[in-house]
């Protein structure tokens, strides 16, 4: 939810999330969350966004398969690292929200 609150394109997004966690009374005694660095928060957010995009992709594929019973070869996915993955997730997420 904090990703949406601050916006995916912010420079210091993960540092802001870290500060929100430290200031929140919900995490006052949760040392696991309080001890996370902004890099660890970034990795977790990227993982969660990837999982969400995969889930939406599977649902979309299932709907497409139901609509057209044609089998098409799956496109090979290139593994991207770092900001390229985050940027593609941002674009895909924003496009899926528009639909």
């Amino acid at each position: 939810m904090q990703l949406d609150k601050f916006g995916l394109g912010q420079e210091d997004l993960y540092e802001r999330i870290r500060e929100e966690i430290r200031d929140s009374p919900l995490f006052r005694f949760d040392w696991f969350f309080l001890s996370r660095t902004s890099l660890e928060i970034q990795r977790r957010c990227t993982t969660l966004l990837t999982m969400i995009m995969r889930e939406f992709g599977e649902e979309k594929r299932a709907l497409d398969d139901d609509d057209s019973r044609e089998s098409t070869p799956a496109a090979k996915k290139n593994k991207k690292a770092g900001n390229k993955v985050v940027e593609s997730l941002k674009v895909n997420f924003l496009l899926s929200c528009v639909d």
Side-chain angles (χ1 to χ4, degrees):
M1 291 190 41
Q2 296 298 321
L3 285 170
D4 185 45
K5 178 181 174 182
F6 295 125
L8 290 172
Q10 294 292 324
E11 286 273 330
D12 59 344
L13 173 66
Y14 304 106
E15 187 62 36
R16 284 182 169 186
I17 293 173
R18 182 175 168 255
E19 289 172 8
E20 284 288 322
I21 290 171
R22 288 177 182 255
D23 293 341
S24 174
L26 294 172
F27 301 109
R28 175 185 271 168
F29 299 111
D30 193 339
W31 296 109
F32 178 78
F33 278 109
L34 291 174
S35 65
R36 299 299 99 189
T37 65
S38 57
L39 181 62
E40 291 169 323
I41 293 170
Q42 178 182 4
R43 287 183 196 149
R44 182 64 181 157
C45 291
T46 303
T47 302
L48 292 172
L49 285 173
T50 304
M51 292 172 62
I52 290 169
M53 293 307 298
R54 283 184 187 162
E55 186 174 326
F56 280 122
E58 289 172 3
E59 289 176 7
K60 187 175 182 179
R61 259 188 259 127
L63 290 174
D64 290 344
D65 288 344
D66 289 343
D67 291 342
S68 64
R69 293 290 178 173
E70 299 175 13
S71 62
T72 57
K76 291 184 179 179
K77 295 182 181 179
N78 293 332
K79 291 188 177 182
K80 298 179 182 178
N83 290 334
K84 291 181 181 179
V85 172
V86 173
E87 290 300 321
S88 67
L89 288 173
K90 289 178 190 176
V91 170
N92 290 337
F93 180 75
L94 293 174
L95 290 175
S96 67
C97 290
V98 173
D99 294 335

